[in-house]
Amino acid sequence: MVTCACNASNDELTKQLDRIIDPYRGNPGGLIQVLTKAQNLVGYLPRRVQVQIAEGLGVSLQEVYGVVTFYAFFSLIPRGRHKISVCAGTACYVKGTKMVTKTLKDLLDLKPGQTTPDSRFTLEIVRCIGACGLAPAMIIDGKDVHGRLEPELIPAVLEQYA
Amino acid sequence: MKSLDELAKIKENRREALKIREGFPSATEKAHVMMCGGAGCISSKCLEVVDAMKEALSKNGIADQVQIILTGCMGPCDMGPVAIIYPDATFYRRLKPKDAGAIVEEHIMKGNKIPRLMYRAPGAKEPTPNVKDIDLFAKQKKIVLRNNFYIDPTSIEDYIANDGYAALGKALTKMQPEEIIEEVKKSGLRGRGGAGFSTGMKWAFTAAASGAPKYVVCNGDEGDPGAFMDRSVLEGDPHSVIEGMAICGRAIGAEQGYVYVRAEYPLAIERLDLALQKARENGLLGKDIFGSGFNFDIEIRIGAGAFVCGEETALLTSIEGRRGEPRPRPPFPANAGVWGKPTVLNNVETWANIPEIILKGADAYASVGTEKSKGTKVFALAGRINNTGIIEVPMGTTLREIVFEIGGGIPRKKAFKAVQTGGPSGGCIPAEHLDTPVDYDSLGALGAIMGSGGMIVLDEDTCMVDIAKFFLDFVVDESCGKCSPCRIGTKRMYEILDNISKGKGKEGDIELLEELALMIKATALCGLGQTAPNPVLSTIRYFRNEYEEHIRDQKCSCNVCELKE
Amino acid sequence: MINLTIDNQQVAVEPGTSILEAAQKVGARIPTLCYLKDINVIGACRICLVEVQGAKTFIPSCVAPVAEGMVVRTNTPAVLKARKLVLELILSDHPMECLTCLRNQNCELQDLAKEFGITEVRFDGAKTEYPADDSSPAIVRDPRKCVLCRRCISVCTNVQTVQALCAVNRGFDTLISPAFNEKLADMECVQCGQCSLVCPTGAIVERDDTAKVWAALADPKKHVVVQTAPATRVQLGEALGAEPGSIFTGQMVAGLRRLGFDKVFDTDFTADLTILEEGNELLQRVTNGGTLPMITSCSPGWIKFCEHFYPDLLNHLSTCKSPQQMFGSLVKTYYAEKEGIDPEDIYCVSIMPCTAKKYECQRPEMNSSGYQDVDVVLTTRELGRMFIQAGLDAANLPEEEYDAPLGISTGAGEIFGASGGVMEAALRTVYEVVTGETLENIDFEVCRGISGVKEATVQVGDLPVKVAITNGLGNARKVLDKIRAGEADYHFIEVMCCPGGCIGGGGSPIPTDIDIRLKRIDATYTEDERMALRKSHENPAVKALYEEFLEKPLGHKSHELLHTKYTPRGVNK
Ligand SMILES: Cc1cc2nc3c(=O)[nH]c(=O)nc-3n(C[C@H](O)[C@H](O)[C@H](O)COP(=O)(O)O)c2cc1C
Ligand code: SF4
Ligand code: SF4
Ligand code: SF4
Ligand code: SF4
Ligand code: SF4
Ligand code: SF4
Ligand code: SF4
Ligand code: SF4
Ligand code: FES
Ligand code: FES
Ligand code: FES
């Protein structure tokens, strides 16, 4: 999330989105790239963002929405400030993904896909983050990998994210 | 780059600077520290070690005499953070920031290696200092990962110094397109993405296909959960993929390539992007490469989280910005790929093999491996095994060698139960088949597959019903939903397994699972559905008793399933 | 030619032929579900599987092209078993509600279940549970009954280019729906019902309004009149089990009387009227330098399409209402006055090949009589059901005549039902009005046929009149883009929303495919030839209407009752 555009005025958001769309204007092939960048900008993909993208690329809103709902990376709802992605890849699974999700569920009262009421964390399940050697692992905010997790270690990890 | 001479010049200049990594002491530099910067080591906090080391170097006033280079995954992720210190090629593991002082002051400044940070072979009294002597690596053979102990993945000069782009130079200036294809055919290289189709044949079909322009695509979706070989290549040696693709471009007459990488691999994307920029700056991509009149460039496309997009037709559709739903073949991508044009699509690891084949020749390459499976294969070893991480072994190495010699066996003295290869498309192989050589055909005969290289070791505490359910849960989640057998059939299989695992199984469930499984395999539209039942079939084949126990006795001997709600 | 063996029979076919089509040549019928010739060839349902020697898996015959020397078996026990299990899976995610389903006995899924001899579904897992969308006045979607064949998406996207539907989510959660689960009523869906025509199941159906009609018929205070669209007489037979191309005009009239309608009138009458209004509008635009090309406006699906996607071209549309709406406003004014009936007591029912007309009659503009001009629209399918419910054996009913005066019509009105018909009818009249001469050959063959875009130049006196005719909205788009680009020098364009025109409308009997459309078209021109009068301006009842009531085409009353205006709607609003 580069800037949180939710707070930017609508005009400002429109302009920023236009800057993302411009290189692909009228080119439906750029849809996934544009959506990725738009989500990085806004944090999620609300209707008005999808409409602007649809019109910019010259495709129907249906086409855009079909794509958005196909790929797990895209979200229709706002996410928390920090995204916890628990790995449920095979390596992690055999080494304790169930334990990790249970601990997080107990600590945060969250099910996968949900966000805490204070918007601090969103919990999601992903398949293999490429840290299988350190299974079980989770990744926070798409970049901080935390491996060899055990229930006692998780609270300290969460502490680091306000 | 207009000529081979230019390339040779860069190589000469750089080789001098890199002699230290071949063991020659340097007049100006005290050491090169190759610090593993793979995802595993980063999560083991290797960056903190780097910071501490930089600080120690500054404190001692030798910051300008030591280079710290972040490499791609070195393999033994479980021991991370790991590092190799040149010129003496000392391998250190489990590094902590507090070790930085000792490494700088003792090892680098005084030449006193630090035994407590070294690897110790199981049962050995003495640690092994030199990376070349470590048993774990000795059994391996590095072709794909040839560069990853040696080069800085962000430096194109490092890549060139290790013969990088020489194969492209040779292909463009000394070979005809047909000769390139012939060489790849002769090498016996088969696709590393799973299906194991002859790469040379694929290129030949695309070269012969009518339609222009043509495209070259790299499949870096790597969705198999529990596998990260391709990531290691992209992060550790991105130029090898670029070079392989450019060679193919020449062979089939394409000027544009795409690399499709999953969004979950930000570092791989960053490194690849940088490599592309540098290749362009050096004229190794772009117009008139090596003065041959050949133009080629590559774009990155980022996958947005759909396993099925690893399937070739889905991937092509996804590149076009649409829902990644597979379509029936024929037409095959060789005739109708991206934008409906003839396209070669190969896996990351496949691409990384190409420069080696062109440079050293098909015969040299084909001398490694078995009769029908040539070369090496990279595996991601994980699960209940001591040495988890990335390994590269000649085709034909046995599972036993991989699990017990390279992998160091099962932790905590537990008994080995099975190894699962090929992820959700694959199957499990029980102890009695440990001496099977790893190649496409032998694994297939056991109901498993080579797959892309995920290898998960399971011990006596693993419940096979639970594992089968795990994989089905995955495919149910990842099914694109286009065709009925996969969309509904995998869901039904999951539901039956779920019942069994909860003590609600019925007599006849195993037979129903088998019936469904065989039907889905024979009727689904794409490879995802056609292979989705494999984990179930293979666990039933080798561990039927565990299923029966769950159903009849409502018991899970491994205590994994919660049979009573 | 490609030679192959199918079920031990040798057959030679053109390259590119599918196994499915090749099999038909040797008399092997392979069941299908997602396949829709030329429109949806995606190989998704896996019902059409066959065995091909040497192949590792079964092969979907609908998408797989033949190859030289191929050996195909279409009916081995293994194939039949696989198909049956696929179907069993599909049924395991289907509400078994045939008895209360509009598509009962006319459902491809039900047919397959019968054909495969399914007697048991062994899986009782989760089922798709998405809410139905009954927001639209025209069609109702029930995703629980959807088999995800995507035929609706293909027709809406590729044929109609509306793209109101998409596949949402993936895997078992896949849903066919507009974006953000929007209601069809609130978005660009033009209500054409083509999706309901191609849907193999009851997942998209016309809104069933028969109850309203039964209620009106039961109400002694109501004077219930009915109008039947041109296309319905060549369709109704099919809805009652007759062969495509059967003409049921007289039987339909007789049946409607037996159902209890007080008057049985004909939309053909107002079709003739439309020609006089629209023809004069065209002449006026040509003489006074009005907006050209002028485009026909009798297809409400097309009108809505233009309002959404080409709002900048709305001034090209003729201001004439559709014949059904002209009828509605006249029946509650002219006819009411003439017969001395309080318009409040008149209940006007339309029988249409069309779902969009259900929407049209509810448009706020369509109240010029002071009441909702047309109270309810039934599709041909619904009328078929009413006949069956009432036990009417239509084929054996005596043929009866429409009531006068609003049932008097010409062949020109009749051909409105086929693509090109409005144009041909207009040319028959405009030619004679402009030149004052009698037209020798009134069959304008250039207007006829099913091709998507037809163009012609017709000499009318001194003026070479350039015309274009399109059917299917994708084809309309081609011509509209030309207008936008300033490259269209036509005078007059006929646009019909549905492929083939109204005879292939969204309310037509199911199935409706190209061959069936062609048969209905043939029947339409047969009807035209049978008529004593074949030019709209010769319709005596229309002449009387002008004399007694309207005074003249484009006169004051006409404007009030017969003309309308349009609303720019845009997309994604
Ligand atoms: C469901 C599914 C997922 C796949 N995922 C991948 C993948 O992540 N990476 C890959 O290289 N190939 C994957 N494949 C195989 C590709 O379809 C294709 O065969 C391969 O990329 C071709 O390259 P190769 O010949 O070099 O192996 C997948 C196939 C299926 C059916
Ligand atoms: S097999 Fe599964 S993933 Fe492949 S097309 Fe069918 S539903 Fe989609
Ligand atoms: S598999 Fe599906 S698309 Fe192909 S013929 Fe059968 S029913 Fe039709
Ligand atoms: S859609 Fe067909 S199968 Fe389903 S309930 Fe209706 S009639 Fe029965
Ligand atoms: S067919 Fe069977 S289920 Fe259907 S109504 Fe008759 S008795 Fe009932
Ligand atoms: S009614 Fe017409 S426009 Fe609306 S969804 Fe169906 S096909 Fe598309
Ligand atoms: S609504 Fe009907 S046509 Fe559309 S996908 Fe579902 S079953 Fe097929
Ligand atoms: S447009 Fe079609 S349905 Fe409407 S009145 Fe004309 S012929 Fe009848
Ligand atoms: S073409 Fe006829 S059936 Fe189709 S929308 Fe128009 S009026 Fe209705
Ligand atoms: S399985 Fe968890 S990181 Fe790979
Ligand atoms: S990530 Fe460092 S060894 Fe694998
Ligand atoms: S009819 Fe061929 S797959 Fe559906």
Side-chain angles (χ1 to χ4, degrees):
Chain A
M1 222 179 289
V2 193
T3 48
C4 178
C6 319
N7 301 323
S9 77
N10 275 357
D11 286 353
E12 184 51 34
L13 176 55
T14 306
K15 255 187 253 151
Q16 294 190 30
L17 279 173
D18 268 336
R19 240 170 279 142
I20 291 175
I21 294 168
D22 275 334
Y24 303 94
R25 204 162 281 284
N27 169 16
L31 180 55
I32 293 173
Q33 279 119 295
V34 172
L35 287 170
T36 306
K37 289 179 186 159
Q39 175 155 305
N40 287 339
L41 175 72
V42 187
Y44 71 116
L45 295 166
R47 187 175 189 278
R48 62 160 304 226
V49 170
Q50 293 190 40
V51 167
Q52 192 178 337
I53 292 173
E55 289 170 0
L57 302 190
V59 297
S60 73
L61 185 60
Q62 273 60 242
E63 180 77 30
V64 176
Y65 187 78
V67 167
V68 168
T69 56
F70 185 86
Y71 294 98
F73 179 75
F74 299 128
S75 175
L76 293 168
I77 46 171
R79 307 257 184 132
R81 290 192 296 287
H82 302 290
K83 185 171 75 176
I84 307 176
S85 313
V86 178
C87 177
T90 323
C92 290
Y93 184 79
V94 301
K95 284 201 159 179
T97 299
K98 281 183 186 166
M99 170 279 294
V100 176
T101 36
K102 181 166 183 313
T103 310
L104 286 169
K105 216 167 128 185
D106 293 348
L107 287 171
L108 301 172
D109 193 20
L110 268 193
K111 279 204 218 94
Q114 292 180 338
T115 301
T116 50
D118 60 359
S119 293
R120 184 170 157 213
F121 290 115
T122 296
L123 180 64
E124 62 170 35
I125 301 291
V126 295
R127 309 288 184 161
C128 195
I129 50 181
C132 317
L134 300 146
M138 66 185 185
I139 187 163
I140 298 190
D141 294 342
K143 52 183 192 346
D144 307 346
V145 181
H146 301 275
R148 296 202 185 91
L149 292 169
E150 289 177 36
E152 316 79 70
L153 302 176
I154 294 177
V157 171
L158 298 184
E159 285 292 292
Q160 301 166 32
Y161 301 88
Chain B
M1 185 124 353
K2 292 290 163 262
S3 67
L4 290 176
D5 288 349
E6 265 181 76
L7 187 73
K9 232 172 265 152
I10 298 180
K11 178 171 166 177
E12 275 325 296
N13 288 343
R14 191 61 180 179
R15 266 207 101 72
E16 211 39 54
L18 295 189
K19 284 215 115 124
I20 186 167
R21 293 184 209 161
E22 286 166 34
F24 301 101
S26 142
T28 52
E29 288 181 311
K30 287 195 180 327
H32 282 185
V33 178
M34 312 301 283
M35 177 66 78
C36 175
C41 287
I42 287 183
S43 71
S44 314
K45 312 246 176 332
C46 68
L47 296 179
E48 288 175 16
V49 179
V50 170
D51 287 344
M53 205 174 279
K54 281 188 181 150
E55 203 175 302
L57 290 170
S58 305
K59 208 173 85 192
N60 289 287
I62 53 168
D64 54 345
Q65 294 165 48
V66 175
Q67 283 191 36
I68 304 180
I69 290 140
L70 275 183
T71 69
C73 173
M74 290 182 172
C77 312
D78 191 56
M79 303 179 194
V82 299
I84 302 172
I85 306 207
Y86 290 109
D88 45 53
T90 307
F91 177 76
Y92 285 143
R93 82 212 205 292
R94 299 240 159 83
L95 295 173
K96 297 258 168 351
K98 66 175 166 45
D99 300 325
I103 295 177
V104 171
E105 282 155 26
E106 289 300 316
H107 183 153
I108 295 179
M109 297 178 67
K110 301 195 193 136
N112 299 329
K113 298 175 192 174
I114 306 159
R116 73 182 162 83
L117 299 176
M118 292 176 191
Y119 172 77
R120 198 184 304 259
K125 285 205 193 68
E126 292 304 310
T128 318
N130 193 305
V131 67
K132 293 210 171 69
D133 302 327
I134 289 178
D135 53 353
L136 188 71
F137 298 125
K139 279 246 160 194
Q140 301 193 35
K141 167 149 186 75
K142 307 238 169 189
I143 295 179
V144 171
L145 300 172
R146 57 194 176 275
N147 282 329
N148 85 342
F149 285 180
Y150 301 104
I151 71 164
D152 174 356
T154 63
S155 160
I156 191 169
E157 291 82 8
D158 274 21
Y159 180 71
I160 292 172
N162 261 344
D163 286 336
Y165 290 108
L168 179 62
K170 180 175 172 189
L172 294 193
T173 58
K174 306 208 165 82
M175 293 170 87
Q176 291 305 312
E178 308 78 60
E179 290 175 70
I180 302 174
I181 294 177
E182 205 41 50
E183 203 65 17
V184 176
K185 269 193 195 162
K186 239 172 60 191
S187 75
L189 175 64
R190 295 169 65 173
R192 300 295 192 242
F197 190 78
S198 155
T199 305
M201 297 277 277
K202 197 185 266 190
W203 292 18
F205 288 144
T206 315
S210 57
K214 294 180 180 173
Y215 294 97
V216 176
V217 176
C218 169
N219 187 344
D221 196 44
E222 192 159 59
D224 172 357
F228 53 107
M229 304 75 53
D230 295 347
R231 171 188 196 146
S232 302
V233 174
L234 289 172
E235 287 180 2
D237 196 13
H239 286 287
S240 65
V241 173
I242 298 173
E243 187 178 1
M245 291 175 71
I247 291 170
C248 176
R250 169 61 160 195
I252 65 159
E255 297 196 340
Q256 176 68 48
Y258 293 99
V259 182
Y260 189 92
V261 199
R262 64 201 305 241
E264 289 88 335
Y265 287 178
L267 184 63
I269 295 169
E270 186 186 311
R271 293 253 167 98
L272 180 65
D273 195 41
L274 183 72
L276 289 172
Q277 277 174 39
K278 296 228 169 145
R280 278 183 209 117
E281 281 162 19
N282 283 277
L284 290 161
L285 285 177
K287 299 266 175 246
D288 193 21
I289 304 167
F290 285 114
S292 64
F294 173 62
N295 311 325
F296 193 74
D297 210 333
I298 295 175
E299 257 182 57
I300 300 180
R301 289 295 162 107
I302 298 174
F307 170 64
V308 68
C309 286
E311 194 278 339
E312 56 186 23
T313 60
L315 184 143
L316 300 169
T317 317
S318 184
I319 287 182
E320 295 171 9
R322 293 183 284 139
R323 287 169 64 90
E325 291 173 355
R327 58 157 176 79
R329 299 170 302 175
F332 289 91
N335 292 306
V338 201
W339 317 114
K341 302 295 181 188
T343 300
V344 161
L345 182 133
N346 279 126
N347 163 263
V348 169
E349 190 183 329
T350 313
W351 288 121
N353 275 299
I354 298 296
E356 197 71 357
I357 292 172
I358 296 302
L359 195 62
K360 308 245 171 89
D363 295 335
Y365 186 87
S367 69
V368 180
T370 66
E371 197 199 325
K372 285 192 178 152
S373 303
K374 298 296 183 194
T376 58
K377 179 76 192 87
V378 183
F379 289 101
L381 262 188
R384 308 284 176 91
I385 186 163
N386 276 313
N387 301 328
T388 58
I390 291 284
I391 61 164
E392 181 174 357
V393 293
M395 295 277 190
T397 308
T398 67
L399 283 167
R400 187 182 300 283
E401 286 171 294
I402 292 177
V403 174
F404 289 96
E405 293 179 30
I406 301 173
I410 315 296
R412 281 176 282 154
K413 302 212 164 57
K414 295 280 182 185
F416 170 91
K417 186 173 206 174
V419 48
Q420 154 82 28
T421 65
S425 323
C428 64
I429 301 165
E432 67 251 40
H433 293 300
L434 266 174
D435 291 311
T436 307
V438 169
D439 61 56
Y440 291 97
D441 311 290
S442 309
L443 292 183
L446 294 178
I449 59 165
M450 172 85 83
S452 55
M455 207 175 254
I456 312 288
V457 179
L458 309 173
D459 70 9
E460 55 185 311
D461 289 344
T462 323
C463 166
M464 299 314 277
V465 176
D466 186 65
I467 283 292
K469 184 175 140 184
F470 164 79
F471 281 115
L472 266 176
D473 184 36
F474 177 81
V475 291
V476 168
D477 237 30
E478 297 295 340
S479 160
C480 86
K482 181 171 176 176
C483 74
S484 344
C486 168
R487 179 183 71 244
I488 312 171
T490 57
K491 176 94 172 170
R492 297 297 173 239
M493 285 183 72
Y494 175 82
E495 287 166 341
I496 296 170
L497 278 171
D498 190 46
N499 280 338
I500 295 177
S501 78
K502 288 184 175 150
K504 293 188 275 183
K506 296 191 297 279
E507 267 327 299
D509 276 357
I510 301 178
E511 291 71 24
L512 191 55
L513 276 176
E514 285 174 322
E515 185 187 342
L516 265 178
L518 293 173
M519 186 277 285
I520 295 170
K521 278 171 71 76
T523 61
L525 191 158
C526 84
L528 191 151
Q530 286 164 10
T531 58
N534 288 352
V536 177
L537 283 173
S538 84
T539 47
I540 293 181
R541 173 164 168 189
Y542 296 117
F543 300 96
R544 197 177 184 106
N545 58 328
E546 289 191 26
Y547 282 82
E548 286 166 351
E549 178 194 69
H550 282 72
I551 295 173
R552 284 193 199 138
D553 313 333
Q554 277 135 57
K555 185 157 159 266
C556 174
S557 291
C558 307
N559 265 323
V560 173
C561 302
E562 294 166 20
L563 282 149
K564 304 276 173 319
E565 298 236 290
Chain C
M1 293 302 260
I2 305 272
N3 300 292
L4 69 161
T5 313
I6 302 181
D7 296 341
N8 302 322
Q9 313 285 306
Q10 301 293 324
V11 59
V13 291
E14 295 287 332
T17 309
S18 68
I19 297 177
L20 181 76
E21 289 164 324
Q24 279 159 3
K25 287 204 153 185
V26 297
R29 190 187 53 83
I30 300 172
T32 61
L33 184 57
C34 66
Y35 173 77
L36 198 60
K37 191 172 187 298
D38 299 331
I39 293 173
N40 199 47
V41 187
I42 61 172
C45 71
R46 321 304 280 182
I47 288 292
C48 65
L49 300 169
V50 295
E51 240 177 74
V52 173
Q53 206 173 72
K56 282 200 301 254
T57 60
F58 295 119
I59 300 295
S61 60
C62 65
V63 281
V66 295
E68 187 61 39
M70 204 179 227
V71 178
V72 179
R73 295 289 308 275
T74 71
N75 54 12
T76 61
V79 163
L80 300 187
K81 187 174 165 209
R83 287 184 197 153
K84 189 167 174 179
L85 192 45
V86 172
L87 185 63
E88 189 182 346
L89 283 174
I90 295 174
L91 293 177
S92 77
D93 182 24
H94 193 85
M96 308 286 197
E97 297 172 0
C98 300
L99 265 63
T100 51
C101 182
L102 272 192
R103 292 291 296 270
N104 192 10
Q105 306 266 304
N106 185 13
C107 170
E108 293 182 35
L109 186 62
Q110 197 186 39
D111 290 348
L112 287 171
K114 179 178 164 199
E115 181 182 328
F116 290 13
I118 303 270
T119 52
E120 173 191 31
V121 173
R122 291 168 292 170
F123 313 103
D124 53 2
K127 290 193 177 189
T128 304
E129 286 295 345
Y130 287 108
D133 175 6
D134 63 353
S135 64
S136 153
I139 53 175
V140 180
R141 287 194 317 111
D142 183 353
R144 297 173 315 135
K145 292 181 185 165
C146 175
V147 296
L148 298 172
C149 67
R150 321 255 179 131
R151 281 154 65 153
C152 53
I153 298 187
S154 287
V155 89
C156 189
T157 302
N158 304 328
V159 178
Q160 299 299 60
T161 62
V162 172
Q163 271 196 283
L165 299 170
C166 58
V168 179
N169 303 331
R170 68 179 186 213
F172 194 76
D173 297 331
T174 309
L175 163 72
I176 307 300
S177 154
F180 293 93
N181 264 321
E182 258 159 52
K183 302 280 183 205
L184 280 176
D186 301 336
M187 43 100 58
E188 298 90 86
C189 166
V190 305
Q191 323 274 355
C192 67
Q194 285 300 314
C195 49
S196 72
L197 202 55
V198 298
C199 181
T201 72
I204 307 186
V205 294
E206 67 281 7
R207 171 181 291 283
D208 185 280
D209 286 313
T210 53
K212 291 185 192 161
V213 178
W214 287 119
L217 289 169
D219 185 345
K221 286 207 300 288
K222 289 262 186 280
H223 179 77
V224 190
V225 303
V226 62
Q227 59 168 322
T228 64
T232 53
R233 64 211 71 197
V234 297
Q235 292 187 334
L236 180 66
E238 288 169 49
L240 299 170
E243 283 304 302
S246 307
I247 301 173
F248 264 52
T249 318
Q251 292 90 329
M252 177 162 71
V253 175
L256 288 166
R257 286 216 177 88
R258 281 158 178 71
L259 285 173
F261 287 99
D262 294 300
K263 290 284 173 186
V264 181
F265 291 141
D266 199 356
T267 317
D268 287 16
F269 166 79
T270 33
D272 283 334
L273 180 61
T274 301
I275 289 303
L276 292 175
E277 291 290 324
E278 207 164 75
N280 280 292
E281 186 184 357
L282 176 63
L283 291 175
Q284 210 174 58
R285 287 198 194 199
V286 172
T287 6
N288 300 349
T291 306
L292 288 176
M294 187 178 90
I295 314 178
T296 57
S297 57
C298 54
S299 168
W302 144 241
I303 296 296
K304 192 156 188 276
F305 180 81
C306 194
E307 290 176 332
H308 284 296
F309 298 98
Y310 293 86
D312 49 317
L313 301 185
L314 284 172
N315 55 352
H316 288 266
L317 288 179
S318 157
T319 58
C320 288
K321 285 183 185 169
S322 72
Q324 96 139 349
Q325 290 302 146
M326 287 193 183
F327 182 95
S329 46
L330 287 176
V331 89
K332 292 192 179 177
T333 54
Y334 170 63
Y335 171 75
E337 253 177 70
K338 203 173 155 87
E339 298 292 313
I341 306 174
D342 183 348
E344 181 155 4
D345 293 334
I346 298 182
Y347 193 80
C348 176
V349 178
S350 304
I351 312 296
M352 296 283 142
C354 178
T355 53
K357 293 217 148 110
K358 287 174 178 276
Y359 152 81
E360 183 187 36
C361 77
Q362 301 186 356
R363 289 178 66 125
E365 305 88 73
M366 300 302 169
N367 295 315
S368 8
S369 63
Y371 304 89
Q372 180 170 325
D373 296 330
V374 171
D375 292 284
V376 67
V377 173
L378 297 186
T379 58
T380 312
R381 299 199 285 273
E382 288 163 276
L383 182 65
R385 289 200 291 272
M386 284 185 75
F387 270 50
I388 290 167
Q389 284 161 33
L392 291 169
D393 178 7
N396 290 318
L397 289 176
E399 296 190 29
E400 293 181 9
E401 296 285 327
Y402 284 98
D403 289 312
L406 305 190
I408 293 173
S409 65
T410 72
E414 173 54 34
I415 58 175
F416 264 53
S419 164
V422 178
M423 182 61 71
E424 180 168 347
L427 290 172
R428 290 179 189 173
T429 291
V430 169
Y431 184 91
E432 296 200 350
V433 171
V434 170
T435 62
E437 298 164 11
T438 309
L439 197 55
E440 287 304 320
N441 179 7
I442 66 167
D443 294 334
F444 287 86
E445 293 290 345
V446 286
C447 298
R448 299 186 183 179
I450 202 155
S451 71
V453 182
K454 293 168 269 189
E455 290 177 311
T457 304
V458 179
Q459 197 66 34
V460 176
D462 300 336
L463 184 66
V465 178
K466 277 200 75 174
V467 303
I469 297 158
T470 73
N471 63 78
L473 293 172
N475 294 314
R477 217 177 247 283
K478 292 179 195 156
V479 174
L480 292 167
D481 288 338
K482 269 191 172 176
I483 301 182
R484 248 188 201 165
E487 291 161 8
D489 56 351
Y490 309 109
H491 295 95
F492 192 29
I493 302 173
E494 176 197 302
V495 175
M496 284 294 156
C497 168
C498 299
C502 299
I503 49 86
S508 309
I510 295 171
T512 291
D513 60 21
I514 289 211
D515 296 335
I516 294 175
R517 283 181 163 100
L518 286 170
K519 288 185 183 149
R520 295 182 191 149
I521 289 173
D522 280 349
T524 297
Y525 291 107
T526 308
E527 271 292 86
D528 170 30
E529 277 167 31
R530 282 212 313 226
M531 301 290 273
L533 297 174
R534 296 180 63 197
K535 298 167 198 156
S536 299
H537 55 285
E538 291 174 353
N539 184 326
V542 170
K543 285 188 198 155
L545 171 67
Y546 278 113
E547 280 157 23
E548 295 167 19
F549 186 70
L550 289 174
E551 294 169 13
K552 60 176 197 306
L554 306 183
H556 174 66
K557 267 218 174 98
S558 285
H559 270 291
E560 227 165 59
L561 295 174
L562 308 182
H563 291 255
T564 186
K565 54 188 186 320
Y566 307 105
T567 313
R569 295 179 199 272
V571 290
N572 306 329
K573 292 289 179 281

